[in-house]
Amino acid sequence: MIRGAVALFKEKGFHRTTTREIAQAAGFSIGTLYEYIRTKEDILYLVCDSIYDQVRERLQGMDLEQGTLESLKLGIAYYFNIMNEMQDEVLVMYQEAKSLSKDALPYVLKKEMEMVGMFETLIRRCIENGELMMDDSHIDLLAHNIFVQGQMWGFRRWALKKNYSKEEYIELQTNLLFKGIAGFEI
C-alpha cells in the first residue's frame, strides 16, 4: 500500500490521488483498504512514518562510535547515498507532509530530529576523541546542515546532475562541510 501510495503521490500529488486508486495500486478492494485506515491522511501518515523508518534503519549501519573525522566523512557519504536511493520517497514526503494532521505532523518531525541526532552523535564522538572542537550550537547546526545537504541531491537533482555525478556531489559537499568546520580546531 505504501509503495503504491508513494508512486501515486509522486505522479498526481496527495490531493489529486483517490483512496480508490491507492487501494487498486495495493491490490486491495476499497473496503479492505478501509479496514486498515480511516482516511487518506492516515495513508499519508503511514507513508511518512515508513519512509523515516527505512532511512533510520539504514542509517543504523553507520559507525556512530569510532569518532574520527574519517568515520564522519564515511557517515556523510553513507547518508547521501541513502538519500540518492530514496530520493523519490523523500521528495514525496516533504511535498505532502503539509497535509498531515496537526496531531501526526509533530510525530513525523520528531522522527526527523532523531535522525539529525545520529549526526550529532557522530560529531560528538569526534569531539570526545579530540579530532574536532566546537560548541553545542555549532554541533547542532552542523548536524542539520549534513541532513539537509543529503536531501538536496533529491530536491535539486534536476539541476545538479547536469554538472555533477552523485559521487562528485558527495565529495564536494563533504569538502564544503569540512571547510566550514576547519575554523574549528581539527
Side-chain angles (χ1 to χ4, degrees):
M1 175 179 63
I2 291 169
R3 278 189 296 256
V6 166
L8 288 165
F9 294 165
K10 180 182 175 216
E11 177 187 338
K12 300 177 72 172
F14 172 74
H15 292 291
R16 291 188 326 196
T17 300
T18 67
T19 50
R20 187 170 305 284
E21 290 169 322
I22 295 169
Q24 184 178 12
F28 296 156
S29 70
I30 191 74
T32 301
L33 182 68
Y34 278 114
E35 288 180 26
Y36 295 100
I37 56 109
R38 292 183 322 255
T39 65
K40 187 169 69 166
E41 287 76 16
D42 290 343
I43 296 170
L44 179 59
Y45 169 81
L46 291 172
V47 164
C48 291
D49 192 46
S50 173
I51 292 167
Y52 276 123
D53 285 347
Q54 288 176 55
V55 173
R56 189 179 61 242
E57 283 176 28
R58 294 183 67 188
L59 282 177
Q60 290 176 346
M62 291 189 308
D63 180 359
L64 296 177
E65 300 304 317
Q66 194 172 9
T68 64
L69 291 177
E70 189 58 33
S71 68
L72 179 57
K73 284 181 183 181
L74 290 172
I76 291 168
Y78 190 75
Y79 169 66
F80 282 21
N81 278 303
I82 292 170
M83 290 295 96
N84 178 63
E85 293 165 17
M86 296 186 68
Q87 58 189 280
D88 290 339
E89 291 90 343
V90 172
L91 185 60
V92 164
M93 185 181 62
Y94 277 104
Q95 286 174 331
E96 304 302 348
K98 65 188 174 294
S99 298
L100 286 167
S101 72
K102 61 183 171 190
D103 296 327
L105 185 60
Y107 173 78
V108 169
L109 295 178
K110 180 179 177 256
K111 287 188 145 194
E112 182 163 311
M113 292 305 296
E114 289 170 2
M115 288 186 284
V116 171
M118 296 175 91
F119 288 103
E120 288 180 0
T121 299
L122 278 170
I123 297 162
R124 287 185 192 284
R125 294 295 182 267
C126 290
I127 292 168
E128 290 167 6
N129 285 340
E131 297 240 343
L132 188 60
M133 291 180 61
M134 63 175 52
D135 60 32
D136 285 345
S137 63
H138 287 96
I139 294 168
D140 178 66
L141 192 54
L142 178 58
H144 280 279
N145 279 334
I146 292 167
F147 198 75
V148 170
Q149 294 305 320
Q151 295 168 342
M152 189 169 86
W153 179 256
F155 298 149
R156 305 274 309 159
R157 68 182 179 255
W158 60 272
L160 294 169
K161 69 181 182 181
K162 293 176 185 174
N163 297 317
Y164 312 104
S165 68
K166 176 191 62 155
E167 291 76 18
E168 290 169 326
Y169 176 81
I170 291 171
E171 182 180 345
L172 290 169
Q173 285 293 15
T174 303
N175 287 340
L176 285 172
L177 288 164
F178 271 74
K179 284 182 182 179
I181 61 176
F184 297 97
E185 292 183 33
I186 296 179

